[in-house]
């Protein structure tokens, strides 16, 4: 089965073609990130305008890369939620028009669940049930997966998402946007034990990241930090955020008695998180999986993959009218 996936939940416009749920034939993504960086965050109007202008061209490019004709598409899968309304609607309208014109079915897909599915776009042997951690700019959630149609929320953030905290701390430090990669970069060589930042709740599976962001703000108040202190600050913040993600992911595995842990979302691109979680999971006898960096970020291949997987197992949503 050939599935065309469409993703437009935030600043990206993605179109992908995935065959038989796991083989990526094309995965084209355009981002309006540069246009947002001077504003310190995504401006919804700028994102949706660019998506409207670019989606048709990105679709054509995906067809060319996949070397298929539109008539060969068996299913159109599109992100329906959660996301910026003005951005989602562009992808949904395009998907509906395409499915209607081709006479093919359409399936709406949950963006957060598709971040977990990104792990299945590799030849790894992933067994369910598993615990999944989705850690992105908009979400920080732990899930228990019996399969992709039975996903139970174990914990989620009570305030800022982890990626959002990286973005806000980077803004406070004057680094720019998006904050995650910039913090990771300047944290290299910094002393991660220099400043102690506590992240909330040791026994809960919920998260809270707004306190640590505020702690960074107060730490910098009335200081003119040199580059060494900024390095240490970035490293210390990153260390605390990563530690809480590692601790709670392993706690969730222990509570649910599972041996498979799937990670997804933009923050999963963080090298320190990848290395620490891999090592701690291994020590606890848990198999931990991360997508490649490009599939951690928003993309349409994960949407096409999950759409195909769910459709094959009977999922339908009356989405045509
Ligand atoms: O999944 P994603 O592309 O979009 C959402 O669904 O939100 O995630 C974007 C988020 C941003 O907050 C960005 O700062 C963060 O992922 N991010 C990182 C890294 N790369 C991206 N956070 C920490 N370290 C990174 N290397
Ligand atoms: Zn995302």
């Amino acid at each position: 089965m050939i599935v065309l996936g469409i993703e437009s939940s935030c600043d990206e416009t993605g179109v992908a073609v995935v065959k038989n749920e796991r083989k990526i034939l094309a995965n084209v993504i355009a981002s309006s990130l540069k246009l947002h960086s001077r504003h310190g965050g995504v401006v919804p109007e700028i994102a949706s305008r660019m998506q409207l202008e670019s989606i048709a061209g990105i679709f054509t490019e995906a067809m060319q890369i996949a070397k298929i004709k539109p008539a060969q598409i068996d299913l159109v899968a599109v992100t329906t939620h959660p996301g910026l309304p003005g951005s989602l609607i562009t992808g949904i309208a395009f998907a509906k028009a395409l499915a209607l014109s081709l006479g093919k079915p359409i399936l709406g897909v949950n963006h957060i669940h598709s971040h977990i599915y990104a792990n299945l776009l590799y030849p790894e042997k992933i067994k369910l049930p598993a615990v999944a951690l989705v850690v992105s700019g908009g979400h920080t959630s732990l899930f228990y997966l019996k399969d992709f149609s039975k996903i139970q929320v174990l914990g989620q953030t009570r305030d800022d998402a982890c990626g959002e905290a990286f973005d806000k701390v980077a803004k406070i430090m004057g680094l720019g946007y998006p904050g995650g990669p910039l913090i990771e970069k300047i944290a290299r060589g910094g002393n991660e034990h220099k400043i102690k930042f506590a992240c909330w709740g040791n026994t809960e599976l919920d998260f809270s990241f707004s306190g640590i962001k505020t702690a960074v703000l107060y730490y910098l108040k009335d200081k003119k930090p040199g580059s060494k202190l900024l390095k240490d600050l970035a490293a210390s913040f990153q260390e605390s955020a990563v530690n809480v993600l590692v601790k709670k992911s392993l706690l969730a595995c222990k509570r649910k008695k599972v041996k498979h842990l799937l990670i997804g979302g933009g923050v999963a691109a963080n090298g320190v998180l990848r290395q620490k979680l891999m090592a701690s999971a291994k020590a606890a006898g848990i198999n931990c999986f991360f997508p490649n960096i490009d599939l951690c970020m928003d993309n349409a291949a994960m949407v096409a993959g999950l759409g195909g997987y769910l459709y094959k197992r009977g999922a339908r949503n009356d989405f045509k009218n």
Side-chain angles (χ1 to χ4, degrees):
M1 180 163 71
I2 292 185
V3 183
L4 184 91
I6 297 178
E7 158 65 38
S8 68
S9 65
C10 192
D11 60 298
E12 290 90 352
T13 317
V15 179
V17 181
V18 170
K19 192 176 174 183
N20 297 337
E21 301 162 40
R22 293 185 85 162
K23 188 170 171 38
I24 301 174
L25 301 184
N27 187 20
V28 185
I29 191 109
S31 168
S32 54
L33 211 59
K34 281 203 181 102
L35 303 175
H36 303 284
S37 52
R38 71 192 169 98
H39 302 284
V42 173
V43 181
E45 288 76 10
I46 296 178
S48 59
R49 198 175 316 139
M50 197 209 132
Q51 283 157 334
L52 202 56
E53 284 170 12
S54 60
I55 194 160
I58 293 170
F59 167 71
T60 307
E61 201 182 327
M63 292 290 97
Q64 286 163 354
I65 293 171
K67 297 191 175 59
I68 62 159
K69 300 254 177 294
Q72 289 173 264
I73 296 167
D74 298 306
L75 170 73
V76 178
V78 59
T79 300
T80 52
H81 65 290
L84 300 171
S87 291
L88 287 167
I89 208 163
T90 305
I92 294 170
F94 190 86
K96 279 187 173 184
L98 186 68
L100 200 63
S101 68
L102 295 173
K104 296 293 161 85
I106 179 169
L107 191 73
V109 164
N110 178 307
H111 176 76
I112 306 176
H113 296 175
S114 67
H115 269 303
I116 308 172
Y117 191 87
N119 286 283
L120 273 78
L121 294 168
Y122 299 93
E124 310 271 10
K125 289 218 169 3
I126 292 173
K127 288 200 191 109
L128 300 180
V131 161
L133 170 74
V134 177
V135 65
S136 70
H139 307 275
T140 309
S141 305
L142 278 164
F143 299 98
Y144 175 65
L145 272 93
K146 270 198 170 156
D147 77 60
F148 278 87
S149 53
K150 288 191 199 84
I151 299 183
Q152 178 197 350
V153 178
L154 298 176
Q156 52 198 331
T157 183
R158 297 198 178 180
D159 39 56
D160 291 352
C162 186
E164 190 181 355
F166 269 91
D167 293 337
K168 287 179 176 170
V169 166
K171 195 173 176 183
I172 293 167
M173 292 172 69
L175 298 177
Y177 177 85
L182 298 168
I183 297 243
E184 182 175 6
K185 195 171 167 201
I186 79 150
R188 273 183 212 124
N191 176 1
E192 69 273 29
H193 305 298
K194 168 92 181 170
I195 309 147
K196 285 268 169 278
F197 291 116
C199 267
W200 170 86
N202 276 331
T203 54
E204 305 279 336
L205 292 177
D206 276 352
F207 298 89
S208 166
F209 289 98
S210 74
I212 184 173
K213 164 205 71 188
T214 312
V216 172
L217 184 69
Y218 280 114
Y219 184 83
L220 281 177
K221 212 172 167 218
D222 306 325
K223 280 198 185 72
K224 283 208 172 66
S227 62
K228 174 73 179 103
L229 184 59
L230 280 180
K231 264 187 158 336
D232 292 347
L233 182 62
S236 300
F237 161 76
Q238 180 174 256
E239 175 77 2
S240 307
V242 163
N243 282 347
V244 78
L245 295 172
V246 171
K247 202 184 282 176
K248 295 196 181 207
S249 301
L250 296 185
L251 180 63
C253 290
K254 195 174 166 197
R255 289 207 180 148
K256 299 307 286 184
K257 298 186 177 61
V258 300
K259 293 282 172 208
H260 280 63
L261 174 61
L262 312 178
I263 318 295
V267 184
N270 185 283
V272 176
L273 174 66
R274 294 174 86 93
Q275 179 244 313
K276 282 202 165 201
L277 200 42
M278 281 292 195
S280 307
K282 197 173 171 202
I286 290 162
N287 300 308
C288 180
F289 299 91
F290 281 87
N292 280 346
I293 308 276
D294 55 332
L295 291 185
C296 289
M297 313 297 177
D298 288 347
N299 67 86
M302 63 189 193
V303 179
L306 178 58
Y309 177 103
L310 292 174
Y311 191 82
K312 202 172 157 193
R313 287 156 183 82
R316 303 288 183 269
N317 39 41
D318 185 20
F319 201 56
K320 248 182 181 168
N321 304 309

